[in-house]
Amino acid sequence: MEEVTCYIPRTLDEALEILSKDDCTILAGGSDLMVSHKRTIGVDPRFSKSVMIIRNLPEIRKIYTEGGECHIGAASTSSEIAENPLVPWHLRQAASRMGAVALRNSATIAGNIANASPKGDTPGPLYLLDARVKIRSAKESREEPVSDFIVKFREIDLKPGEMITEVVVPLSEDDFDYVFWHKVGTRKANAISKVTVSMALKFEDGGSVVRDFRVSATATGSKTNRSRDVENIIIGKEISEDLIEEVAEAFDGIISPRAMPEFRRETCRRCIRRFLSEAERRRAAGDRRKMIDTYDGYHMPGAPEVR
Amino acid sequence: MEKTISFKLNGRDVSITRNPLSRLLDVLRDDFGMHGVKEGCSEGECGACSILLNGRMVTPCLIPLGAADGQEIMTVEGISATPEGDCVVQAFADGGAVQCGFCIPGMVVAAYSLLKKNPDPTDEDIRLGISGNLCRCTGYDLIVESIKLAARRGRDLWKK
Ligand SMILES: Cc1cc2nc3c(=O)[nH]c(=O)nc-3n(C[C@H](O)[C@H](O)[C@H](O)COP(=O)(O)OP(=O)(O)OC[C@H]3O[C@@H](n4cnc5c(N)ncnc54)[C@H](O)[C@@H]3O)c2cc1C
Ligand code: FES
Ligand code: FES
């Protein structure tokens, strides 16, 4: 069996140069590719085209803020993201609950996005926060919202010669009064999500009218779900029981979970109800604690105990 | 395609000419005789193969050899030869953490990596720290106790 060429570039320029000549499979952490290409003990994994290993490229492992945005190098690992206080809260939550310690030290953010699995954990927060991917080739550089870049299940908008170099997340944290992130897995470690829900809300200054509300969910269809139309139902209005129900139902209308649909639908509805009603309760009570959890002691049907 | 890949293995400079897409797990076991690196699941789920790459715990069943180029690797063999690693190994033996032993090298790496970062872990910290390491025998309780023992005994070691 002919072995494919494997490149190990030392700089980003070198990597882009290689990509311009040879349409490679880009390997970052390897946590998806090494599983999907594995054969058996002692036998090398088999790839169908050249492979370029970018795991250790220093230029794409940096995390910094600039111009009110957080820039996350494509090969930053989940651990690096979870530990970095510059990274927005929702994304740190998602990164800190991926896999277990060792997985988080390998899994990269670009790998999670490019894998384009609806069960991937970082796209939830990335959709919520209007994040973009920065894409480069030897000649060009472009940016695209993550929600457009992920076209559908296992399909991304990446042309031969291109790679993701950065993920850019607008820092809207201070623009939110209340935030929510919840993952339902089968167990605490190395659990692929059954569903994750990310939400954020901002009231008009000193008022009871909603200025911004956002909700996204993963593992509830062929890609991560978010819809401005659904969010607009409550934006510009005061939170009421009826509106909460309307939002929960409208969100239910945009998701299309295949396996365990009722469980996933019910989880989303309950998370939305919980978040919006608790945000309103806290606002009215002058309670400014930002983080809203799932119900204390409340048990999602069929889900593991929430700590 | 073969390439010469050089890295630091347990403090020594080494190099190997091989397919850079070979699993680091196979290279460590077959070419370097590091048999403490165990293969359980082959897909990142069990932690039996855990090693440190640049001081961070990873599972080499998911890592191609080429990704180790120019990097630093410590296996359980190297770790046990340090005072901190020896402290963990002794605590596992004295604390009755070991039954069949298959998961133990990975557990030692996980315990070492945890205590290096967090010398005074709670039970919850310990359980999270080893949550990617599966054990079919012990039910984990004595492993957790042994890690606490290592934290207590090695107090001065870990905090330095
Ligand atoms: C035990 C285990 C547990 C897991 N748990 C979780 C979990 O809890 N949550 C979760 O979301 N995922 C989980 N995963 C899946 C996986 O770890 C993640 O999807 C991870 O983020 C993939 O990143 P990587 O760098 O390892 O990907 P790789 O395998 O290196 O690459 C994945 C894909 O991304 C492409 N790619 C990588 N970098 C770039 C780039 N810079 N530009 C363009 N394309 C690129 C690759 O070509 C490939 O198609 C788990 C996997 C395992 C094995
Ligand atoms: S063999 Fe590597 S994690 Fe199981
Ligand atoms: S002691 Fe047997 S698997 Fe852990």
Side-chain angles (χ1 to χ4, degrees):
Chain A
M1 167 78 198
E2 209 27 35
E3 279 166 8
V4 299
T5 307
C6 175
Y7 304 96
I8 313 169
R10 305 220 175 246
T11 64
L12 179 59
D13 282 342
E14 197 188 323
L16 295 172
E17 188 60 31
I18 293 166
L19 279 179
S20 71
K21 300 197 177 107
D22 191 352
D23 174 28
C24 302
T25 294
I26 300 171
L27 189 149
S31 63
D32 284 313
L33 288 175
M34 291 296 279
V35 175
S36 54
H37 290 78
K38 90 172 153 68
R39 290 196 287 169
T40 186
I41 297 182
V43 180
D44 294 344
R46 181 186 286 153
F47 289 84
S48 55
K49 54 182 186 179
S50 306
V51 175
M52 181 171 81
I53 300 176
I54 60 163
R55 183 185 183 113
N56 301 315
L57 282 184
E59 296 102 318
I60 55 168
R61 252 185 120 149
K62 288 188 248 182
I63 299 178
Y64 60 96
T65 54
E66 193 181 281
E69 300 189 304
C70 180
H71 297 250
I72 302 171
S76 303
T77 63
S78 296
S79 306
E80 288 160 357
I81 291 166
E83 288 162 9
N84 196 316
L86 298 176
V87 175
W89 181 84
H90 289 91
L91 188 55
R92 288 182 73 187
Q93 291 289 307
S96 70
R97 289 287 309 275
M98 277 173 69
V101 183
L103 188 276
R104 292 194 287 273
N105 287 334
S106 277
T108 68
I109 189 160
N112 201 231
I113 296 170
N115 195 40
S117 158
K119 294 182 182 165
D121 282 332
T122 64
L126 294 174
Y127 276 48
L128 191 84
L129 302 173
D130 295 327
R132 311 183 303 278
V133 277
K134 188 165 174 191
I135 296 157
R136 284 190 56 187
S137 65
K139 295 219 168 57
E140 272 167 321
S141 170
R142 64 182 177 100
E143 281 193 3
E144 189 175 14
V146 174
S147 54
D148 292 336
F149 178 76
I150 299 176
V151 179
K152 58 175 196 235
F153 181 73
R154 294 264 183 267
E155 197 183 312
I156 53 173
D157 180 22
L158 192 78
K159 293 183 251 322
E162 290 186 331
M163 68 182 264
I164 305 173
T165 54
E166 230 178 38
V167 179
V168 186
V169 194
L171 290 171
S172 30
E173 199 111 329
D174 291 337
D175 304 340
F176 299 133
D177 294 325
Y178 299 106
V179 292
F180 177 103
W181 184 82
H182 181 57
K183 168 170 176 166
V184 186
T186 40
R187 56 192 170 107
K188 271 192 197 154
N190 282 338
I192 301 298
S193 297
K194 294 280 169 269
V195 50
T196 70
V197 183
S198 310
M199 287 185 274
L201 186 133
K202 168 84 183 161
F203 286 105
E204 291 292 353
D205 287 340
S208 53
V209 169
V210 175
R211 180 195 291 174
D212 193 7
F213 166 65
R214 303 179 188 191
V215 50
S216 71
T218 71
T220 49
S222 65
K223 59 182 236 179
T224 299
N225 283 296
R226 182 182 166 201
S227 152
R228 207 58 183 156
D229 289 343
V230 171
E231 297 164 357
N232 278 332
I233 293 173
I234 207 156
I235 293 173
K237 308 214 179 83
E238 292 185 336
I239 298 177
S240 67
E241 296 260 317
D242 286 352
L243 271 182
I244 293 176
E245 249 354 87
E246 219 182 294
V247 171
E249 285 314 313
F251 194 76
D252 191 65
I254 67 161
I255 67 178
S256 49
R258 281 195 307 169
M260 300 193 302
E262 228 1 88
F263 164 70
R264 292 190 155 105
R265 288 183 182 284
E266 188 60 13
T267 303
C268 290
R269 280 195 291 260
R270 286 182 191 255
C271 285
I272 290 171
R273 287 188 198 119
R274 160 70 180 162
F275 176 68
L276 288 175
S277 57
E278 181 64 9
E280 173 57 16
R281 193 196 65 72
R282 287 193 192 177
R283 180 203 61 79
D287 181 345
R288 310 200 52 138
R289 285 173 305 145
K290 265 193 170 179
M291 236 176 74
I292 295 182
D293 255 313
T294 46
Y295 282 85
D296 291 338
Y298 176 76
H299 195 59
M300 297 274 181
E305 206 75 53
V306 179
R307 245 197 328 132
Chain B
M1 191 197 78
E2 294 198 332
K3 257 197 166 115
T4 300
I5 306 293
S6 306
F7 54 95
K8 224 179 195 113
L9 176 58
N10 296 328
R12 252 180 349 115
D13 289 318
V14 298
S15 53
I16 170 99
T17 304
R18 206 183 146 150
N19 177 0
L21 293 170
S22 296
R23 301 181 312 162
L24 187 54
L25 169 58
D26 291 321
V27 177
L28 291 172
R29 287 183 59 86
D30 302 346
D31 298 307
F32 292 103
M34 299 291 156
H35 294 138
V37 185
K38 300 292 176 201
E39 175 148 18
C41 66
S42 320
E43 44 190 60
E45 298 268 359
C46 76
C49 65
S50 300
I51 59 166
L52 300 182
L53 175 60
N54 301 331
R56 297 252 197 186
M57 179 162 72
V58 295
T59 50
C61 59
L62 298 181
I63 297 177
L65 167 63
D69 198 28
Q71 314 300 309
E72 283 187 29
I73 288 173
M74 287 277 271
T75 65
V76 69
E77 286 86 352
I79 288 171
S80 325
T82 65
E84 293 94 332
D86 184 57
C87 168
V88 174
V89 171
Q90 287 309 321
F92 270 53
D94 298 343
V98 185
Q99 288 190 24
C100 83
F102 191 80
C103 69
I104 298 300
M107 288 287 182
V108 168
V109 176
Y112 173 90
S113 146
L114 171 73
L115 292 172
K116 273 275 186 190
K117 258 194 167 168
N118 178 358
D120 198 13
T122 62
D123 277 30
E124 178 72 9
D125 295 336
I126 295 176
R127 285 187 190 273
L128 275 177
I130 61 168
S131 63
N133 295 71
L134 302 184
C135 174
R136 301 192 301 181
C137 304
T138 66
Y140 303 100
D141 286 349
L142 288 180
I143 294 180
V144 173
E145 289 307 318
S146 300
I147 295 176
K148 287 203 278 197
L149 181 62
R152 263 201 315 279
R153 278 188 186 166
R155 182 145 296 152
D156 303 330
L157 279 177
W158 302 113
K159 291 202 166 140
K160 78 171 186 223

